[in-house]
Amino acid sequence: MSHGNITVSSYLMGDFDGDGKRDIGAFSADRNSLYITRNASTPGNPQTGAGGLHSSGWSTVDKTMTLDWDGDGKDDILGRNGDHLFLWRSTSTGAAFSFAGYQVLSAGNATVSSYLMGDFDGNGKPDVGAFSWDRDSFYITRNTSTPGNPSLGAGGLHSSGWASRDHVMTTDWDGDGKDDILCRSGDLFYVFRSTSTGATFSFANPVPPNSGNATVTSYLLIAASR
C-alpha cells in the first residue's frame, strides 16, 4: 500500500475529504509532524494515492482522535494540549487536505486519563466522554454543533466506579441509533445500553453478554458502518 512507515509513531485515520473513504494520517517518530495520504481505492481495489507532509507543531498535542464533530460529512481532528481540548475542523476537498485553525472546545482536561467518544443520545453527533485521572469517574459533555459551527454544550459527572473496568469502547450494540458502552470487568464483558435523550445522559444497568474474557488482550469490533 505505501512505503516509509518505519518511523511512524502512530496513525490517525479519517475521511478528511468527505468522499466516504478513510484517509491515512501518520505522525512522525517525534510526533511533531503530521503526514496525510489520500485513499484512492475503488470497490475491490485497495490503494493509496498522493500524500505528504501536512503540518508540524503536533508534539504538544496528545490523545488525538478523528470524527465528524460538526456533522458536515468530513472527519475533524480533536486533541488535547495541556488543559484544553482542541478541534481542527476539516476544510479538505478532493484536491487538497486542509483544516481550519484550532478551536478550543473546552478547558479542564489536564486530569483526563482517556476519552470515550460516542453519539449517546442518538442525534447524529458524537458526544465527549472523559475518564478522570484515576479512571474511576466518568464525565459526559453534549455536542451542540451544527455543520460548519463546532460547539460543546453542558456536561458534568455522570457516574463513578469505573476503575475496575477496562477495554472500554462505544458502539451501537443493539441498533437503536444510540451508542452504548462496552467494557470488561474481570472475566465478564458488559454492555451499558444507552437510554439517553436530548435532555439527559443515562444508561441501563449493565448486561453481561458472556464470560471467559479474563485472558483477552484486546477487542476488535466489526460492524457495518452507519
Side-chain angles (χ1 to χ4, degrees):
M1 293 286 289
S2 64
H3 301 281
N5 291 271
I6 195 167
T7 60
V8 170
S9 60
S10 62
Y11 293 97
L12 193 68
M13 315 295 283
D15 178 11
F16 302 122
D17 55 5
D19 66 353
K21 296 177 287 190
R22 292 170 69 81
D23 307 298
I24 302 175
F27 287 105
S28 57
D30 59 2
R31 283 196 56 84
N32 191 59
S33 300
L34 175 64
Y35 298 79
I36 304 180
T37 302
R38 193 175 303 279
N39 185 340
S41 303
T42 57
N45 297 286
Q47 57 183 306
T48 55
L53 176 65
H54 176 266
S55 55
S56 298
W58 290 89
S59 60
T60 60
V61 181
D62 62 6
K63 304 191 185 305
T64 46
M65 304 161 278
T66 61
L67 41 76
D68 183 5
W69 182 256
D70 63 339
D72 66 352
K74 301 177 183 180
D75 280 344
D76 311 301
I77 299 176
L78 284 78
R80 182 182 67 174
N81 190 335
D83 191 56
H84 295 98
L85 181 62
F86 286 177
L87 169 79
W88 288 265
R89 186 175 66 84
S90 178
T91 54
S92 303
T93 67
F97 293 113
S98 60
F99 295 84
Y102 73 80
Q103 175 179 336
V104 177
L105 281 182
S106 67
N109 291 267
T111 59
V112 170
S113 62
S114 62
Y115 293 97
L116 189 69
M117 316 298 274
D119 179 13
F120 301 121
D121 55 4
N123 68 351
K125 295 178 285 190
D127 306 299
V128 179
F131 289 100
S132 58
W133 66 272
D134 60 359
R135 289 195 57 83
D136 191 66
S137 299
F138 181 50
Y139 299 79
I140 307 180
T141 305
R142 194 177 305 278
N143 184 342
T144 54
S145 302
T146 57
N149 296 286
S151 61
L152 194 62
L157 177 65
H158 176 267
S159 55
S160 298
W162 290 87
S164 63
R165 299 162 183 152
D166 59 12
H167 296 292
V168 186
M169 304 163 280
T170 59
T171 188
D172 182 6
W173 186 255
D174 60 346
D176 66 352
K178 301 177 183 180
D179 281 342
D180 310 301
I181 299 177
L182 290 73
C183 65
R184 181 184 67 174
S185 182
D187 191 56
L188 296 175
F189 187 70
Y190 287 98
V191 175
F192 293 80
R193 187 176 64 84
S194 177
T195 55
S196 304
T197 67
T200 184
F201 292 113
S202 59
F203 296 84
N205 290 330
V207 177
N210 59 27
S211 58
N213 291 269
T215 59
V216 171
T217 57
S218 62
Y219 294 94
L220 186 65
L221 298 179
I222 301 172
S225 59
R226 290 182 185 170

